[in-house]
Amino acid sequence: MSKRKLILTIAGTTLVASGLVAAGWFAGWFGDPVFTDEIPAKRPPRLDHRELEAFSGQSIPQIIDTLLAEAAEREKAPALPEAAADPPLLAMLPDAPLPFPHDATPRDPEGLRKFVTGMQRGDQEGGPSPAERWQFNLALAALHVDPSEIPEAIRLETHPAAESETFPIRLVARDHELVGPLALGSFFGDDSPAIVARGGSALYSLLAEGAMQAHDALAEVTPGSGLYPGDFDGDLDTDLFITRRDGLPNSLLRNDGEGRFEDVTIAVGLLSFNDTTAAVWLDYDGDGRLDLLVGSRDHPLELYRQTSEGTFQPVAWDLGLWVPRGVHTIAVSDFSGDGHPDFFLGIEGRPDRLYLAKPSPAWDGWRVENVAAASGVDRGRSGTAHFFDFDNDGRPDLLLAPATPTRTMAATKTTAATGTTSTAAEEPAALRLLHNEGEGRFTDVTTGTGLGDLAGVTAVSIADLDNDGYEDLLLGTAPLAINRVFWNREGAWFREVTFVSEGAYLDGTVAYTVADLEGNGTADILARDHTGRVRWLEATGSRHRHLSVKVHHAPPGFRLVLSVRDKDWVLREIERRPGLDGVATIGIGQADVIERLSIFPPEGGEALHTLEKLPPNEAVVIDLPQPAPQPTVSPPEENPSPAAP
């Protein structure tokens, strides 16, 4: 054989061998495959196949006990949610918002005095950093030192004046025993709200005047990092999906309506061993049954379709929905208005994605399409997302907070009035408000609505604090930075009311849960901080009216439309899209009468139910007929090739 032929033969053999190795690697011959952003041509193998085989026949509690025992033997920290540590200063300050009231007592006065003395004696070469100045001023404010006694060179504003003389709401703190993560729902089969706390291991019913009664139905549940309530079996009580991190299996708990729960995770096909970070219930195919979208740090995004038998079937790959790993944020809303849920994804280290549902009467034509680039949503890397209709035009808008590391105050730039911080090397991206223009297009209106330059946001939520019919904003921040409150001015702009509302707490808030827990028309805000503590604030002082609505058997994504008339005989419409529980408290301003309340299906069309001439400040319960089984677009036994991504 000639030298040339020998070289060609070796090269050809090498290429074939390389192809076989690559194929074998993807197929799992030499270990688990490494997925890329390109959607696989064949259904991808499960990365947790070894765990599925090893734990076959065991229950979820048995599996968790085994995994925790193995972790302990390896001297590895158990994969359970652990409370983060507060900055030392935060634990010394009064448990009150800024400006600290005169009767607010520091939790550790002696510690505060030592903190101040230590900073005064410390090495201040080059002068104190902005973060150190802020902490110094906070400590002196907690000790009720007059600001005029602080040298002007290091003085920062800890006694700001109220931003508004007309905003009536005060966020009043309430005593309670709750620890997060939290979930709200009808866990006892009636229309009264109940609370699941401690990551799914504690259950409370609400009694008169906000008192709580503890129940032991969930005492044996291993806590999770995320709680996602939803009535997946359609029996009018709330079930619960619990997510866990670091390979511990998730749990789906079926509620019997009496406050008793059964773990049906394995029976319905949801057993997995992922580092689960986010989940959401949705009815993606409009068949009346809730499906489940689950994201994780280390496994591909999965959409589980609920079958007519009540089991769950993975279909993300079939729909061309492919994210190999790193999903940490999911927000769902029918922003296109076609009756099918669309959704937003925040992905670690990658641009945001916005998926538009593309339904089809045939299974092989059904898909979802990433429209982030065309809609203008892909220019950020968001850690928090929230859909809400800030201007009441009937289209859900999108509020995005950037994915930034949790900061204390050890940074190099501080805004004196708010305590927000950033590093010198990298300015954190700011909050963005995107207005839904229709047809899948969004316009950035952040600056024009008064929300520009809001950095360091760690959590967002909405609540109509004053019941004027426009939803206001709650923004969480890092520890020792001030949480923010913004008043929606009739959908045109937002005015900050952090201090006048007494909402300027310094907690490192990471999540909000908002509901009218007592049915009195006022918003209850459960703010969970980075340690798991929960602050319960009630929005008191509203002079406006409201209507409380509970709808049974409503299709997921349904719309409530109120026509209200005020004392000047001006008629306006307010539209809301309640959550899966069918509950909404809707502010109606100074309206004297609710001319009409209509319930519309997600896709619009004829109203499902209409009530007329309702008085304000009432609670309405509407029982829709039990929906008939809907035709379903089912995947065949042999899964087809995926739709084009």
Side-chain angles (χ1 to χ4, degrees):
M1 180 181 295
S2 68
K3 184 177 181 180
R4 182 173 181 273
K5 288 184 177 180
L6 179 60
I7 293 173
L8 290 175
T9 301
I10 293 174
T13 304
T14 301
L15 288 173
V16 171
S18 299
L20 289 173
V21 169
W25 178 256
F26 178 79
W29 298 346
F30 311 111
D32 290 329
V34 178
F35 295 131
T36 66
D37 286 334
E38 183 178 355
I39 186 169
K42 296 182 179 180
R43 174 173 292 278
R46 290 191 56 156
L47 297 179
D48 57 355
H49 60 92
R50 294 180 184 83
E51 290 84 358
L52 291 171
E53 294 172 0
F55 292 105
S56 177
Q58 297 189 33
S59 67
I60 294 293
Q62 290 173 329
I63 295 171
I64 292 176
D65 288 344
T66 300
L67 290 174
L68 291 178
E70 292 176 353
E73 290 179 3
R74 297 192 304 268
E75 298 183 352
K76 179 182 177 182
L80 295 175
E82 297 181 356
D86 269 333
L89 176 62
L90 185 57
M92 304 178 198
L93 299 174
D95 188 19
L98 282 179
F100 296 132
H102 293 296
D103 59 351
T105 304
R107 284 172 282 188
D108 185 359
E110 183 60 29
L112 275 179
R113 283 188 281 271
K114 290 181 179 178
F115 179 86
V116 170
T117 301
M119 292 195 72
Q120 289 173 328
R121 293 177 178 173
D123 181 9
Q124 296 297 327
E125 183 179 351
S129 70
E132 290 170 334
R133 288 175 58 198
W134 177 245
Q135 294 182 28
F136 186 68
N137 279 263
L138 285 177
L140 293 178
L143 293 170
H144 301 294
V145 174
D146 192 303
S148 63
E149 298 180 16
I150 305 174
E152 186 175 352
I154 61 171
R155 186 190 309 157
L156 294 175
E157 182 60 79
T158 57
H159 296 73
E163 305 96 338
S164 169
E165 297 180 356
T166 59
F167 188 67
I169 302 303
R170 302 295 180 268
L171 300 179
V172 177
R174 300 184 51 171
D175 293 332
H176 65 89
E177 53 189 283
L178 298 173
V179 176
L182 299 172
L184 307 180
S186 178
F187 293 109
F188 293 94
D190 54 19
D191 289 327
S192 61
I195 303 175
V196 171
R198 296 185 181 274
S201 61
L203 176 64
Y204 300 91
S205 56
L206 293 176
L207 306 177
E209 298 180 356
M212 297 188 301
Q213 178 179 346
H215 303 265
D216 60 4
L218 296 172
E220 301 301 318
V221 172
T222 300
S225 57
L227 304 181
Y228 301 91
D231 181 15
F232 85 93
D233 55 0
D235 62 356
L236 297 184
D237 55 53
T238 306
D239 311 300
L240 187 65
F241 185 63
I242 302 176
T243 61
R244 300 187 178 94
R245 303 297 305 269
D246 296 334
L248 287 185
N250 304 321
S251 290
L252 177 58
L253 304 183
R254 188 196 302 272
N255 185 0
D256 70 354
E258 301 293 333
R260 295 185 294 267
F261 296 83
E262 176 189 6
D263 195 317
V264 297
T265 313
I266 298 173
V268 301
L270 288 176
L271 177 62
S272 65
F273 296 86
N274 304 352
D275 187 356
T276 309
T277 51
V280 68
W281 292 102
L282 73 167
D283 180 11
Y284 91 90
D285 53 359
D287 64 358
R289 293 183 288 269
L290 289 183
D291 312 303
L292 187 62
L293 185 61
V294 182
S296 73
R297 184 189 62 81
D298 55 349
H299 283 220
L301 177 75
E302 190 56 85
L303 174 60
Y304 293 95
R305 170 186 171 270
Q306 186 178 174
T307 70
S308 58
E309 291 78 27
T311 60
F312 288 85
Q313 176 184 22
V315 296
W317 175 82
D318 303 274
L319 302 179
L321 176 58
W322 178 253
V323 183
R325 67 188 64 81
V327 172
H328 56 71
T329 300
I330 305 176
V332 172
S333 180
D334 178 17
F335 64 78
S336 64
D338 66 353
H340 292 278
D342 312 302
F343 52 91
F344 169 93
L345 298 180
I347 307 168
E348 183 178 355
R350 292 175 173 84
D352 296 336
R353 297 189 187 183
L354 189 67
Y355 282 92
L356 179 67
K358 295 286 187 177
S360 170
W363 168 254
D364 57 1
W366 199 299
R367 57 193 282 251
V368 291
E369 179 184 355
N370 180 17
V371 297
S375 63
V377 177
D378 66 335
R379 291 189 290 273
R381 288 174 168 80
S382 301
T384 305
H386 207 111
F387 284 101
F388 78 117
D389 183 8
F390 81 89
D391 57 353
N392 284 353
D393 66 354
R395 294 188 296 266
D397 309 301
L398 182 57
L399 184 69
L400 299 176
T404 55
T406 300
R407 294 181 172 89
T408 59
M409 294 297 295
T412 59
K413 179 181 178 182
T414 303
T415 301
T418 64
T420 56
T421 65
S422 65
T423 64
E426 180 182 359
E427 291 284 340
L431 190 82
R432 290 199 299 159
L433 178 60
L434 305 178
H435 182 257
N436 188 344
E437 305 291 346
E439 299 180 356
R441 294 181 294 106
F442 289 81
T443 299
D444 193 322
V445 296
T446 313
T447 301
T449 53
L451 297 176
D453 299 325
L454 290 175
V457 175
T458 57
V460 300
S461 189
I462 61 168
D464 186 358
L465 299 174
D466 59 343
N467 282 336
D468 66 348
Y470 292 90
E471 292 175 308
D472 310 302
L473 292 182
L474 304 164
L475 305 179
T477 57
L480 288 179
I482 297 172
N483 294 326
R484 315 285 288 275
V485 184
F486 285 83
W487 183 19
N488 188 339
R489 306 305 292 123
E490 298 183 350
W493 61 291
F494 290 86
R495 178 170 187 175
E496 183 159 13
V497 289
T498 298
F499 299 107
V500 68
S501 67
E502 300 177 6
Y505 286 92
L506 301 168
D507 309 326
T509 304
V510 297
Y512 289 102
T513 304
V514 177
D516 178 10
L517 293 176
E518 295 182 278
N520 57 4
T522 62
D524 294 287
I525 302 154
L526 304 175
R528 176 167 60 91
D529 73 12
H530 67 293
T531 71
R533 287 192 307 263
V534 174
R535 188 179 298 280
W536 184 340
L537 302 173
E538 184 177 11
T540 64
S542 174
R543 296 186 289 268
H544 292 149
R545 298 160 182 163
H546 71 278
L547 181 71
S548 297
V549 182
K550 168 74 175 182
V551 184
H552 294 151
H553 301 301
F558 78 100
R559 298 180 298 121
L560 284 174
V561 179
L562 275 68
S563 297
V564 299
R565 196 181 298 276
D566 63 19
K567 60 184 179 181
D568 296 323
W569 213 240
V570 175
L571 188 68
R572 66 168 172 145
E573 284 194 347
I574 302 172
E575 179 175 317
R576 290 289 183 269
R577 303 188 186 202
L580 295 174
D581 58 1
V583 175
T585 298
I586 306 170
I588 59 174
Q590 288 297 312
D592 290 326
V593 64
I594 300 160
E595 295 283 353
R596 183 177 297 105
L597 165 64
S598 298
I599 301 173
F600 289 93
E603 68 275 12
E606 296 294 326
L608 300 173
H609 192 82
T610 297
L611 297 174
E612 296 184 346
K613 302 298 183 182
L614 298 175
N617 299 333
E618 296 288 332
V620 177
V621 178
I622 301 172
D623 285 294
L624 296 179
Q626 182 78 31
Q630 298 295 312
T632 181
V633 181
S634 303
E637 294 182 5
E638 294 294 333
N639 286 297
S641 297

PDB file of all heavy atoms in Angstrom, residues 104-124:
ATOM      1  N   ALA A 104     -39.274  52.447  67.923  1.00  0.00           N
ATOM      2  CA  ALA A 104     -38.680  51.216  67.404  1.00  0.00           C
ATOM      3  C   ALA A 104     -37.398  50.909  68.180  1.00  0.00           C
ATOM      4  O   ALA A 104     -36.463  51.717  68.204  1.00  0.00           O
ATOM      5  CB  ALA A 104     -38.376  51.354  65.915  1.00  0.00           C
ATOM      6  N   THR A 105     -37.356  49.743  68.784  1.00  0.00           N
ATOM      7  CA  THR A 105     -36.224  49.353  69.629  1.00  0.00           C
ATOM      8  C   THR A 105     -35.273  48.456  68.855  1.00  0.00           C
ATOM      9  O   THR A 105     -35.710  47.474  68.235  1.00  0.00           O
ATOM     10  CB  THR A 105     -36.718  48.602  70.872  1.00  0.00           C
ATOM     11  OG1 THR A 105     -37.659  49.417  71.575  1.00  0.00           O
ATOM     12  CG2 THR A 105     -35.554  48.250  71.793  1.00  0.00           C
ATOM     13  N   PRO A 106     -33.982  48.741  68.881  1.00  0.00           N
ATOM     14  CA  PRO A 106     -33.023  47.833  68.229  1.00  0.00           C
ATOM     15  C   PRO A 106     -33.088  46.440  68.851  1.00  0.00           C
ATOM     16  O   PRO A 106     -33.291  46.296  70.063  1.00  0.00           O
ATOM     17  CB  PRO A 106     -31.670  48.501  68.498  1.00  0.00           C
ATOM     18  CG  PRO A 106     -31.989  49.930  68.777  1.00  0.00           C
ATOM     19  CD  PRO A 106     -33.323  49.936  69.442  1.00  0.00           C
ATOM     20  N   ARG A 107     -32.893  45.431  68.028  1.00  0.00           N
ATOM     21  CA  ARG A 107     -32.896  44.067  68.549  1.00  0.00           C
ATOM     22  C   ARG A 107     -31.626  43.768  69.334  1.00  0.00           C
ATOM     23  O   ARG A 107     -31.609  42.863  70.165  1.00  0.00           O
ATOM     24  CB  ARG A 107     -33.072  43.074  67.394  1.00  0.00           C
ATOM     25  CG  ARG A 107     -34.504  43.005  66.887  1.00  0.00           C
ATOM     26  CD  ARG A 107     -34.642  42.174  65.633  1.00  0.00           C
ATOM     27  NE  ARG A 107     -34.209  42.903  64.438  1.00  0.00           N
ATOM     28  CZ  ARG A 107     -34.367  42.454  63.204  1.00  0.00           C
ATOM     29  NH1 ARG A 107     -34.930  41.281  62.995  1.00  0.00           N
ATOM     30  NH2 ARG A 107     -33.945  43.177  62.172  1.00  0.00           N
ATOM     31  N   ASP A 108     -30.559  44.523  69.079  1.00  0.00           N
ATOM     32  CA  ASP A 108     -29.306  44.337  69.812  1.00  0.00           C
ATOM     33  C   ASP A 108     -28.635  45.700  69.980  1.00  0.00           C
ATOM     34  O   ASP A 108     -27.695  46.039  69.253  1.00  0.00           O
ATOM     35  CB  ASP A 108     -28.395  43.363  69.054  1.00  0.00           C
ATOM     36  CG  ASP A 108     -27.121  43.038  69.812  1.00  0.00           C
ATOM     37  OD1 ASP A 108     -26.925  43.577  70.923  1.00  0.00           O
ATOM     38  OD2 ASP A 108     -26.302  42.256  69.284  1.00  0.00           O
ATOM     39  N   PRO A 109     -29.102  46.500  70.959  1.00  0.00           N
ATOM     40  CA  PRO A 109     -28.530  47.847  71.122  1.00  0.00           C
ATOM     41  C   PRO A 109     -27.038  47.826  71.418  1.00  0.00           C
ATOM     42  O   PRO A 109     -26.280  48.639  70.870  1.00  0.00           O
ATOM     43  CB  PRO A 109     -29.321  48.421  72.304  1.00  0.00           C
ATOM     44  CG  PRO A 109     -30.558  47.594  72.385  1.00  0.00           C
ATOM     45  CD  PRO A 109     -30.197  46.241  71.904  1.00  0.00           C
ATOM     46  N   GLU A 110     -26.593  46.903  72.275  1.00  0.00           N
ATOM     47  CA  GLU A 110     -25.188  46.851  72.616  1.00  0.00           C
ATOM     48  C   GLU A 110     -24.350  46.475  71.398  1.00  0.00           C
ATOM     49  O   GLU A 110     -23.271  47.029  71.160  1.00  0.00           O
ATOM     50  CB  GLU A 110     -24.955  45.854  73.746  1.00  0.00           C
ATOM     51  CG  GLU A 110     -23.518  45.786  74.234  1.00  0.00           C
ATOM     52  CD  GLU A 110     -23.014  47.120  74.769  1.00  0.00           C
ATOM     53  OE1 GLU A 110     -23.841  47.916  75.280  1.00  0.00           O
ATOM     54  OE2 GLU A 110     -21.796  47.376  74.656  1.00  0.00           O
ATOM     55  N   GLY A 111     -24.861  45.526  70.620  1.00  0.00           N
ATOM     56  CA  GLY A 111     -24.161  45.153  69.403  1.00  0.00           C
ATOM     57  C   GLY A 111     -24.051  46.307  68.429  1.00  0.00           C
ATOM     58  O   GLY A 111     -23.020  46.483  67.754  1.00  0.00           O
ATOM     59  N   LEU A 112     -25.098  47.129  68.347  1.00  0.00           N
ATOM     60  CA  LEU A 112     -25.071  48.293  67.462  1.00  0.00           C
ATOM     61  C   LEU A 112     -24.013  49.294  67.907  1.00  0.00           C
ATOM     62  O   LEU A 112     -23.277  49.860  67.088  1.00  0.00           O
ATOM     63  CB  LEU A 112     -26.442  48.965  67.432  1.00  0.00           C
ATOM     64  CG  LEU A 112     -27.471  48.419  66.447  1.00  0.00           C
ATOM     65  CD1 LEU A 112     -28.777  49.190  66.575  1.00  0.00           C
ATOM     66  CD2 LEU A 112     -26.950  48.503  65.028  1.00  0.00           C
ATOM     67  N   ARG A 113     -23.940  49.528  69.221  1.00  0.00           N
ATOM     68  CA  ARG A 113     -22.953  50.488  69.717  1.00  0.00           C
ATOM     69  C   ARG A 113     -21.532  49.994  69.426  1.00  0.00           C
ATOM     70  O   ARG A 113     -20.656  50.780  69.038  1.00  0.00           O
ATOM     71  CB  ARG A 113     -23.174  50.721  71.208  1.00  0.00           C
ATOM     72  CG  ARG A 113     -24.359  51.652  71.505  1.00  0.00           C
ATOM     73  CD  ARG A 113     -24.428  52.023  72.955  1.00  0.00           C
ATOM     74  NE  ARG A 113     -25.025  50.956  73.754  1.00  0.00           N
ATOM     75  CZ  ARG A 113     -26.332  50.836  73.995  1.00  0.00           C
ATOM     76  NH1 ARG A 113     -27.181  51.734  73.496  1.00  0.00           N
ATOM     77  NH2 ARG A 113     -26.789  49.849  74.725  1.00  0.00           N
ATOM     78  N   LYS A 114     -21.296  48.687  69.584  1.00  0.00           N
ATOM     79  CA  LYS A 114     -19.981  48.130  69.270  1.00  0.00           C
ATOM     80  C   LYS A 114     -19.696  48.236  67.770  1.00  0.00           C
ATOM     81  O   LYS A 114     -18.565  48.504  67.358  1.00  0.00           O
ATOM     82  CB  LYS A 114     -19.911  46.675  69.720  1.00  0.00           C
ATOM     83  CG  LYS A 114     -19.896  46.487  71.225  1.00  0.00           C
ATOM     84  CD  LYS A 114     -19.809  45.003  71.596  1.00  0.00           C
ATOM     85  CE  LYS A 114     -19.769  44.820  73.107  1.00  0.00           C
ATOM     86  NZ  LYS A 114     -19.723  43.372  73.475  1.00  0.00           N
ATOM     87  N   PHE A 115     -20.751  48.040  66.967  1.00  0.00           N
ATOM     88  CA  PHE A 115     -20.593  48.149  65.513  1.00  0.00           C
ATOM     89  C   PHE A 115     -20.165  49.563  65.128  1.00  0.00           C
ATOM     90  O   PHE A 115     -19.228  49.766  64.341  1.00  0.00           O
ATOM     91  CB  PHE A 115     -21.914  47.774  64.837  1.00  0.00           C
ATOM     92  CG  PHE A 115     -21.897  47.865  63.338  1.00  0.00           C
ATOM     93  CD1 PHE A 115     -21.449  46.808  62.571  1.00  0.00           C
ATOM     94  CD2 PHE A 115     -22.329  49.018  62.690  1.00  0.00           C
ATOM     95  CE1 PHE A 115     -21.438  46.894  61.186  1.00  0.00           C
ATOM     96  CE2 PHE A 115     -22.309  49.115  61.305  1.00  0.00           C
ATOM     97  CZ  PHE A 115     -21.864  48.043  60.551  1.00  0.00           C
ATOM     98  N   VAL A 116     -20.830  50.570  65.706  1.00  0.00           N
ATOM     99  CA  VAL A 116     -20.508  51.962  65.399  1.00  0.00           C
ATOM    100  C   VAL A 116     -19.103  52.300  65.875  1.00  0.00           C
ATOM    101  O   VAL A 116     -18.300  52.916  65.148  1.00  0.00           O
ATOM    102  CB  VAL A 116     -21.543  52.900  66.046  1.00  0.00           C
ATOM    103  CG1 VAL A 116     -21.090  54.355  65.944  1.00  0.00           C
ATOM    104  CG2 VAL A 116     -22.898  52.723  65.384  1.00  0.00           C
ATOM    105  N   THR A 117     -18.775  51.877  67.094  1.00  0.00           N
ATOM    106  CA  THR A 117     -17.446  52.171  67.637  1.00  0.00           C
ATOM    107  C   THR A 117     -16.360  51.511  66.795  1.00  0.00           C
ATOM    108  O   THR A 117     -15.313  52.106  66.509  1.00  0.00           O
ATOM    109  CB  THR A 117     -17.350  51.678  69.088  1.00  0.00           C
ATOM    110  OG1 THR A 117     -18.360  52.319  69.873  1.00  0.00           O
ATOM    111  CG2 THR A 117     -15.984  51.998  69.675  1.00  0.00           C
ATOM    112  N   GLY A 118     -16.610  50.274  66.386  1.00  0.00           N
ATOM    113  CA  GLY A 118     -15.632  49.573  65.569  1.00  0.00           C
ATOM    114  C   GLY A 118     -15.396  50.258  64.238  1.00  0.00           C
ATOM    115  O   GLY A 118     -14.257  50.327  63.755  1.00  0.00           O
ATOM    116  N   MET A 119     -16.456  50.784  63.631  1.00  0.00           N
ATOM    117  CA  MET A 119     -16.288  51.481  62.360  1.00  0.00           C
ATOM    118  C   MET A 119     -15.550  52.804  62.556  1.00  0.00           C
ATOM    119  O   MET A 119     -14.752  53.223  61.711  1.00  0.00           O
ATOM    120  CB  MET A 119     -17.651  51.725  61.707  1.00  0.00           C
ATOM    121  CG  MET A 119     -18.339  50.448  61.236  1.00  0.00           C
ATOM    122  SD  MET A 119     -19.707  50.785  60.100  1.00  0.00           S
ATOM    123  CE  MET A 119     -18.821  51.287  58.640  1.00  0.00           C
ATOM    124  N   GLN A 120     -15.790  53.472  63.675  1.00  0.00           N
ATOM    125  CA  GLN A 120     -15.113  54.747  63.930  1.00  0.00           C
ATOM    126  C   GLN A 120     -13.623  54.544  64.155  1.00  0.00           C
ATOM    127  O   GLN A 120     -12.803  55.391  63.796  1.00  0.00           O
ATOM    128  CB  GLN A 120     -15.745  55.426  65.147  1.00  0.00           C
ATOM    129  CG  GLN A 120     -17.148  55.962  64.882  1.00  0.00           C
ATOM    130  CD  GLN A 120     -17.814  56.472  66.143  1.00  0.00           C
ATOM    131  OE1 GLN A 120     -17.576  55.971  67.240  1.00  0.00           O
ATOM    132  NE2 GLN A 120     -18.645  57.486  65.989  1.00  0.00           N
ATOM    133  N   ARG A 121     -13.266  53.405  64.731  1.00  0.00           N
ATOM    134  CA  ARG A 121     -11.859  53.144  65.030  1.00  0.00           C
ATOM    135  C   ARG A 121     -11.153  52.386  63.913  1.00  0.00           C
ATOM    136  O   ARG A 121      -9.942  52.195  63.960  1.00  0.00           O
ATOM    137  CB  ARG A 121     -11.759  52.316  66.324  1.00  0.00           C
ATOM    138  CG  ARG A 121     -12.210  53.063  67.565  1.00  0.00           C
ATOM    139  CD  ARG A 121     -12.158  52.153  68.776  1.00  0.00           C
ATOM    140  NE  ARG A 121     -12.542  52.862  69.993  1.00  0.00           N
ATOM    141  CZ  ARG A 121     -12.708  52.260  71.182  1.00  0.00           C
ATOM    142  NH1 ARG A 121     -12.511  50.952  71.292  1.00  0.00           N
ATOM    143  NH2 ARG A 121     -13.056  52.968  72.235  1.00  0.00           N
ATOM    144  N   GLY A 122     -11.915  51.921  62.937  1.00  0.00           N
ATOM    145  CA  GLY A 122     -11.327  51.089  61.901  1.00  0.00           C
ATOM    146  C   GLY A 122     -10.402  51.861  60.982  1.00  0.00           C
ATOM    147  O   GLY A 122     -10.340  53.097  60.988  1.00  0.00           O
ATOM    148  N   ASP A 123      -9.689  51.074  60.197  1.00  0.00           N
ATOM    149  CA  ASP A 123      -8.760  51.654  59.228  1.00  0.00           C
ATOM    150  C   ASP A 123      -9.565  52.255  58.081  1.00  0.00           C
ATOM    151  O   ASP A 123     -10.203  51.527  57.329  1.00  0.00           O
ATOM    152  CB  ASP A 123      -7.806  50.572  58.723  1.00  0.00           C
ATOM    153  CG  ASP A 123      -6.796  51.133  57.722  1.00  0.00           C
ATOM    154  OD1 ASP A 123      -6.750  52.363  57.569  1.00  0.00           O
ATOM    155  OD2 ASP A 123      -6.061  50.318  57.122  1.00  0.00           O
ATOM    156  N   GLN A 124      -9.551  53.542  57.952  1.00  0.00           N
ATOM    157  CA  GLN A 124     -10.337  54.221  56.933  1.00  0.00           C
ATOM    158  C   GLN A 124      -9.449  54.829  55.857  1.00  0.00           C
ATOM    159  O   GLN A 124      -9.714  55.919  55.352  1.00  0.00           O
ATOM    160  CB  GLN A 124     -11.210  55.301  57.587  1.00  0.00           C
ATOM    161  CG  GLN A 124     -12.250  54.761  58.557  1.00  0.00           C
ATOM    162  CD  GLN A 124     -13.255  53.880  57.857  1.00  0.00           C
ATOM    163  OE1 GLN A 124     -13.586  54.105  56.701  1.00  0.00           O
ATOM    164  NE2 GLN A 124     -13.734  52.842  58.540  1.00  0.00           N
TER     165      GLN A 124
END
